[in-house]
Amino acid sequence: MSTGRNVIPTEDEVRKAAIELKKSNPASGVAKIQSLLLDTNPSWTVSEKRVRKILQSEGLVKSDGTPSSTTSIIHPSFRLNKSLEIDKWTSRVEVKYFDAIKGKGLVAKENIGKGDVLWKEDPFILAPEWELYDLQHASEACSLCSSIIRDHSPLHISCEASTTATPCTARYCNRLCRLQAEKVHPLLCSARNPASVPLLAFARDAQWMALHALAQCTSRLLLASQQDAATFDLDWEVVQGLAELGMEERAQCLREQGLEPDRENWRRAFELYLQAFKEPRTPTEQKKLARVLKKPIPEELQKITFEYQAFLRGLGRMSLSKLPMAGLYRLHSHLNHSCTPNVSIRHLDQRTALSRITVIAKEDLEIGQELLITYTNPQSNLRDRRRRLSEWGFGPCRCERCIATRREADDLADQLKAGLGVL
C-alpha cells in the first residue's frame, strides 16, 4: 500500500537530509538527490527546485545542477566538555547537542526576561585587542584582567621575576591577579622564558590574534601539566571542547573565494612556537625553560601540541572560539550564531575586571530557546555575512533573517523571470 506524500518538511530537515545523501552520492546531480530524498522519506513533499536551491547554497552543485568539483563538505568538528560545571556561572542555561553539523549550543532552562543578566565570566585565557595588549606591554594595564592601571597604587604588583638585567613588563592591579597569572604567565615571561619573546613579537607585528591566543593557551596547558593530573585534565577538556577547523580545511573554504593560504607564515610561526615552548636556541634559554618546566612533558601532550598539523588545528580552534578583543571563555564558546542575536556580550566591570564579560538577554527567551550571538557584522548585507561565515566552514546562515531575505530575493527573481517570459 502506498504512503501519501502529505508532509512538507522544514528547511533544516531537508538541508540535513540532502547533505547526508550528497555525502553518500557525491557524483549525483539534483534530480538523483531529490529522488533518493523522496525514497528515504516517503511522506515528504519536496520539489526538485527546492533541493537545487539548498545544494547550490551549500556549494554542492553548480548553477546547472551538476555536481560541484568540491565533493567534501567541510564543517567545524565539535566535542562536548563533560566536565564543564555550568552552575558555577548560571543555573538558567544548559548545553544542548543539536547534530553533527551544527554541533552544540546553549538553551534556556527557564523563562528569561529581556535585560536579565544571565552570567558573568572571566577568561580561560586573555588575548585582548592590540591597543590594550600594547598597554599591558607598557605596564599600563593589568596583565591578567586587562584593567587600566596608569595611576600609581601600592596594590599594583610587578612580575616577581623581573630584574634590571632581565626585565619583564608584566604588571598586575592586585595580588590576586598576580597569583592567578601563574597559570599562564611564566612561559610567556621575558625574564623566566625569554625564548617566548620572538613568538609574541611575531604575532604582534603580524596582528595575528589567533597565534597570540594559541601561545597563551599552550602556556596554560604546559604549566597545568606540571601540576596534578586533575588540574591538567580540566584545562585539556576545555580546549578539546572547542569547535575545531584546521587551517588547511579553512584554506579549502577560502580557495573557493579565490584566496590562497600563506603557508610560509604558518611555517615561520610554527618554528617560533617550537622555539618558545620546546626547543630554545641558546643554552641559557634552554636552562631557563627547564626551570619552568621541571617535569617531563607527557608524550601524548607533546604529540597534540608540537606536531605541525596539531599546531594548525590549534590556530583554527582559537580563531573559531576566541571572543574578539577579549579572549577565550569556557561557557561563552558554546554560543552559536544568528544575524539577529538574542543575547549581548558586555564588558561592564571596566574599573576592576575589564576582561570579565557579562551576558545579557536582548529579548524575552522561553524554556528550550537557544541563546545566540552574532559572528559577523549584523549591519552587513546577506552576501557579506554569508561570505564571512563560509570562511570558517559554517555554511550559509539559516537564521530567520537570512532565510527571509533569501526568500524575498528568490521571489523577486521569479517575478522578473515570469515578466520576461523565462518561466
Side-chain angles (χ1 to χ4, degrees):
M1 185 175 70
S2 62
T3 303
R5 296 189 180 277
N6 55 8
V7 175
I8 300 177
T10 65
E11 191 77 3
D12 278 345
E13 288 174 334
V14 178
R15 180 173 66 93
K16 292 172 187 175
I19 289 175
E20 287 302 318
L21 287 171
K22 187 63 178 172
K23 284 182 180 179
S24 304
N25 304 272
S28 298
V30 173
K32 180 62 175 178
I33 295 298
Q34 187 226 9
S35 176
L36 292 171
L37 189 69
L38 296 179
D39 288 344
T40 54
N41 300 276
S43 63
W44 283 10
T45 297
V46 182
S47 67
E48 183 177 324
K49 177 182 177 181
R50 189 179 181 188
V51 174
R52 175 180 287 105
K53 286 184 177 180
I54 288 174
L55 294 179
Q56 286 177 354
S57 70
E58 295 287 342
L60 300 178
V61 296
K62 301 175 184 178
S63 58
D64 61 0
T66 60
S68 170
S69 58
T70 303
T71 58
S72 60
I73 303 169
I74 300 174
H75 292 286
S77 60
F78 304 86
R79 298 182 186 179
L80 289 175
N81 180 358
K82 296 180 180 179
S83 66
L84 186 68
E85 299 179 22
I86 300 179
D87 287 343
K88 287 184 176 180
W89 296 281
T90 179
S91 61
R92 308 186 73 181
V93 305
E94 63 183 350
V95 175
K96 178 179 178 180
Y97 181 79
F98 292 94
D99 54 59
I101 295 175
K102 183 173 181 177
K104 61 194 176 186
L106 297 178
V107 298
K109 289 177 65 177
E110 59 184 53
N111 290 332
I112 295 171
K114 179 180 179 180
D116 284 0
V117 173
L118 300 180
W119 75 87
K120 295 187 176 184
E121 185 175 1
D122 291 318
F124 178 72
I125 56 102
L126 180 67
E129 58 186 279
W130 294 117
E131 181 179 356
L132 191 52
Y133 172 81
D134 291 341
L135 290 177
Q136 290 178 322
H137 200 62
S139 305
E140 296 181 357
C142 178
S143 289
L144 181 83
C145 72
S146 68
S147 298
I148 306 300
I149 52 174
R150 289 193 179 100
D151 297 333
H152 176 74
S153 168
L155 294 176
H156 300 164
I157 303 173
S158 297
C159 172
E160 62 180 9
S162 181
T163 66
T164 303
T166 57
C168 174
T169 59
R171 194 170 175 221
Y172 305 97
C173 58
N174 56 53
R175 189 172 299 276
L176 179 60
C177 278
R178 190 195 70 77
L179 291 174
Q180 291 179 337
E182 289 299 297
K183 295 179 180 179
V184 176
H185 178 65
L187 283 174
L188 303 175
C189 173
S190 56
R192 282 183 272 190
N193 185 29
S196 67
V197 173
L199 173 65
L200 297 178
F202 181 80
R204 177 63 186 94
D205 291 344
Q207 297 192 20
W208 195 349
M209 188 55 71
L211 179 60
H212 178 61
L214 181 60
Q216 302 281 331
C217 195
T218 300
S219 180
R220 175 154 185 160
L221 287 175
L222 292 174
L223 291 170
S225 75
Q226 303 297 292
Q227 307 300 317
D228 57 276
T231 299
F232 172 75
D233 288 344
L234 285 175
D235 282 358
W236 180 237
E237 282 288 330
V238 173
V239 177
Q240 286 286 84
L242 300 175
E244 180 182 307
L245 185 72
M247 299 297 284
E248 288 291 356
E249 289 81 7
R250 188 194 182 198
Q252 296 183 44
C253 301
L254 293 174
R255 191 171 290 112
E256 294 180 357
Q257 300 178 29
L259 302 175
E260 288 297 325
D262 188 352
R263 291 190 175 87
E264 182 178 347
N265 252 358
W266 296 357
R267 281 290 179 183
R268 178 57 180 156
F270 181 59
E271 291 172 2
L272 294 174
Y273 179 81
L274 291 181
Q275 177 183 320
F277 299 119
K278 186 182 182 185
E279 302 167 353
R281 289 186 174 180
T282 69
T284 300
E285 291 178 344
Q286 292 167 10
K287 290 179 181 179
K288 288 198 170 188
L289 178 60
R291 291 192 193 108
V292 179
L293 299 177
K294 296 179 180 180
K295 296 181 181 179
I297 303 300
E299 184 177 344
E300 181 183 2
L301 177 57
Q302 291 198 46
K303 183 177 180 180
I304 57 183
T305 304
F306 296 131
E307 290 187 356
Y308 183 58
Q309 292 303 320
F311 170 75
L312 295 183
R313 289 193 296 272
L315 287 173
R317 281 196 189 103
M318 297 302 105
S319 295
L320 281 171
S321 301
K322 192 189 77 64
L323 178 63
M325 302 183 295
L328 182 64
Y329 296 78
R330 295 172 178 86
L331 196 53
H332 166 274
S333 65
H334 289 69
L335 290 166
N336 286 320
H337 164 82
S338 172
C339 294
T340 51
N342 55 25
V343 298
S344 63
I345 310 299
R346 307 284 182 84
H347 294 268
L348 300 180
D349 300 318
Q350 297 193 13
R351 290 181 60 86
T352 58
L354 183 57
S355 62
R356 181 175 297 151
I357 60 171
T358 301
V359 182
I360 303 173
K362 296 183 67 175
E363 60 187 55
D364 293 339
L365 302 173
E366 298 179 352
I367 295 176
Q369 186 173 350
E370 186 177 8
L371 280 61
L372 299 164
I373 57 174
T374 181
Y375 296 171
T376 67
N377 181 355
Q379 304 303 317
S380 301
N381 59 37
L382 174 64
R383 181 178 180 180
D384 288 344
R385 296 197 308 272
R386 287 191 164 182
R387 177 187 57 78
R388 176 59 180 155
L389 291 172
S390 69
E391 290 176 1
W392 281 106
F394 289 115
C397 180
R398 299 293 174 182
C399 72
E400 293 182 4
R401 176 185 174 189
C402 287
I403 291 175
T405 303
R406 181 59 184 265
R407 186 179 295 118
E408 290 174 1
D410 288 344
D411 289 345
L412 178 59
D414 288 344
Q415 291 173 20
L416 289 173
K417 289 179 181 179
L420 294 172
V422 176
L423 295 178

